[in-house]
Amino acid sequence: MSETPASTVPPAPPQGSLKSLILVLGACGFASTFTMRLLDPLVPTLAAEFTRSIAQVAAVATAFAFAYAVGQPFLGPIADSIGKLRTIAVCLGALALLSLAAGFAGSFEMLTGVRTVAGIAAGGVIPVAMAAIGDRAPMAERQIMLGRFLVLMIVGQMVGAACSGLIAEHLGWRYVFVMAGAIAGIAGMLVVLVLKPRPNASRPPLSFKTALTSYAAVFANPRSKLLYGLVVVEGSLIFGMPPYIAAILHERADVGPSQAGLVIAGTGLGGIIYGVLTRILVERLGPTRMTTLGGIVMGFAYALFSLAFLPWWSAVAIFTLSGFGFFLMHGTFQAQATELAPTARGSAVALFACALFCGHALGPVLMGAALHLFGTSSAILIFAAGIAVLGVLAPRILPLAGSRT
C-alpha cells in the first residue's frame, strides 16, 4: 500500500518542502548509482587482478542487477508498510557496509557474493525514492520532479564511472569501494537528519496478505503487464553494453580504466541534459514523441559506436547522445509507473524496478553471446536496431498517459 490514501489526491506540499525532498533523495540516488556503475570501468583491471575472463567479471554486474530485481517484490511492500524514508535510510546503511566489505574482498568469489547482496540493498533506494516523490507530486508535475531527481542521481552515475577509473589507476581498485561506502553512509544520514515522514500517511501493517493485496491492485490495471514487459526489453537492450565498454575500448585503442570511465560517464551527461530540459520536452513533445525519439537517438548512437575506426574519445560524445535518448524513453516509462496503482505506489514502482533490472541482468548475457557469435561491430548494430524498434513500437503497444497526438 502507499502512503497516499486511496480516496483523495494529496495536496501539493510547499515548494520548499518538495525542494528539500528532491535534493536529499537526489543525494540518495547519487549514492546508489555511484555504487551501481563503478564496476564497469574496472572490468579489465579486475580480470587481471583475479585471473578471470572479461565475461566472468562482467557477470558480476549481472549478479548485482539480478539481486536488485529479486529484492523488489519484497522491498516494495516493506516500504509501503514501514515508510519509504525509513526504508531508504536502512538500505543506504547496508549498502555502505557492503561496499566497504567489497573493498576488502580477498577473492573473486567473495567480491561476487558481496556485490550480489549489495544489489538487494541498492534496490531499496531509487525505486522507493521515486515512489516517495510520486506520493507528494501531482501527476501534472511528476515527470518534471522525477527529471530533477534524475539529474542528481545521474551525477552519481557519472562520478562513479569517471572516478572509479581514476582512483583505480592511482590508488587501487579497493579504494573505489571504500569511497562508495562513505558516500552511501553520508546519504543515509541526510535522510535521517533532514527528511521527516508525513504524519498523516496511511501505512498498513506488513504481512504476506497485505503484499498480495498490493500486487493485486497493481495488476488490476491492464497497463501494468504491458509497461513491465516493455521495461524488461528496454533494460536488456540498454544495459547489455556498459560492462563491455572498457574491454571494447581497450581492444580498439588500448585505453585504460580512467578513459573508459569518462566514456561511460558520458551517459550521465546525456541524462543531465535531459533533466535540465525535462519541462520543455514534456510540454512540447509529450510522452509518445519522447519515447519514439529516445529509441531512435539511442539506436543512432549505438550505430556510431559500432564504427571501430572512430577515435576512442569520440565515444564520450556518442554515449552522451545515448544517455539523452535513454532518459527520453525511460523517464517517460518511470512517470507512467508511478500512476499504475496510486493506492500501492511503492509496490508498483518496485515491480517496475524489478522488470528493469531483470532486463539489466539479462542484457550482459545477451551482449556477451552476440559478441561471441557475430563480433563486436555486428553485435552493437543488432542492439542498436533493437533499441530503435522499441522506441517506435512502445507507444503503439502501450498508449502513454498524457501523450500529445
Side-chain angles (χ1 to χ4, degrees):
M1 299 293 172
S2 153
E3 295 179 9
T4 303
S7 58
T8 61
V9 177
Q15 285 300 309
S17 174
L18 192 57
K19 182 178 180 181
S20 297
L21 179 79
I22 297 298
L23 287 174
V24 174
L25 292 183
C28 298
F30 177 103
S32 181
T33 53
F34 184 96
T35 303
M36 192 183 305
R37 295 262 68 95
L38 60 80
L39 189 69
D40 294 339
L42 305 180
V43 169
T45 301
L46 293 174
E49 172 80 12
F50 293 109
T51 319
R52 303 284 175 157
S53 69
I54 295 295
Q56 285 175 309
V57 178
V60 178
T62 294
F64 183 97
F66 181 73
Y68 195 116
V70 168
Q72 292 305 308
F74 304 97
L75 290 167
I78 289 172
D80 283 337
S81 294
I82 71 170
K84 297 177 178 65
L85 300 183
R86 183 180 300 174
T87 302
I88 292 169
V90 171
C91 287
L92 282 169
L95 187 60
L97 294 176
L98 289 164
S99 296
L100 290 174
F104 291 96
S107 67
F108 181 72
E109 291 74 18
M110 181 179 177
L111 177 64
T112 302
V114 171
R115 284 291 290 174
T116 300
V117 180
I120 298 175
V125 181
I126 292 173
V128 180
M130 287 170 50
I133 294 169
D135 281 344
R136 292 159 174 80
M139 185 60 185
E141 293 288 317
R142 196 170 300 157
Q143 188 162 356
I144 296 167
M145 293 298 104
L146 287 171
R148 292 172 181 172
F149 165 72
L150 284 173
V151 169
L152 296 173
M153 185 187 84
I154 294 162
V155 171
Q157 175 179 315
M158 291 179 61
V159 174
C163 287
S164 66
L166 290 170
I167 294 170
E169 283 193 358
H170 296 286
L171 297 176
W173 64 267
R174 296 181 186 276
Y175 287 90
V176 176
F177 290 101
V178 173
M179 176 176 284
I183 292 172
I186 292 170
M189 290 299 297
L190 283 175
V191 175
V192 173
L193 296 175
V194 177
L195 300 181
K196 304 298 179 186
R198 293 184 300 161
N200 61 341
S202 174
R203 299 189 188 96
L206 180 62
S207 69
F208 183 70
K209 181 179 179 180
T210 300
L212 289 180
T213 301
S214 296
Y215 289 125
V218 175
F219 285 108
N221 186 340
R223 296 170 56 83
S224 299
K225 300 182 185 69
L226 295 174
L227 179 61
Y228 295 152
L230 289 171
V231 171
V232 170
V233 177
E234 178 199 31
S236 299
L237 293 171
I238 298 303
F239 295 113
M241 179 71 71
Y244 295 98
I245 291 174
I248 290 171
L249 292 174
H250 181 75
E251 177 185 358
R252 288 179 176 176
D254 197 30
V255 303
S258 60
Q259 294 99 323
L262 291 174
V263 170
I264 296 168
T267 301
L269 179 59
I272 289 177
I273 295 171
Y274 163 80
V276 172
L277 298 176
T278 301
R279 182 179 292 276
I280 296 173
L281 293 167
V282 171
E283 292 178 350
R284 297 191 179 181
L285 295 180
T288 293
R289 293 174 184 172
M290 289 172 66
T291 301
T292 300
L293 181 61
I296 293 172
V297 167
M298 282 187 286
F300 177 68
Y302 271 32
L304 289 176
F305 188 59
S306 72
L307 303 176
F309 60 82
L310 294 177
W312 76 265
W313 46 262
S314 68
V316 177
I318 288 171
F319 279 94
T320 298
L321 185 63
S322 173
F324 178 70
F326 168 67
F327 284 101
L328 274 174
M329 176 185 288
H330 190 69
T332 302
F333 286 162
Q334 282 182 327
Q336 301 295 314
T338 63
E339 198 62 16
L340 289 174
T343 61
R345 189 169 280 122
S347 298
V349 176
L351 286 175
F352 176 85
C354 178
L356 177 66
F357 277 83
C358 281
H360 194 310
L362 182 61
V365 177
L366 295 177
M367 176 58 82
L371 290 169
H372 177 72
L373 292 173
F374 306 111
T376 301
S377 294
S378 295
I380 296 172
L381 284 173
I382 290 170
F383 273 61
I387 294 167
V389 170
L390 176 65
V392 173
L393 293 183
R396 292 165 172 78
I397 296 171
L398 178 72
L400 301 171
S403 294
R404 288 176 173 269
T405 56

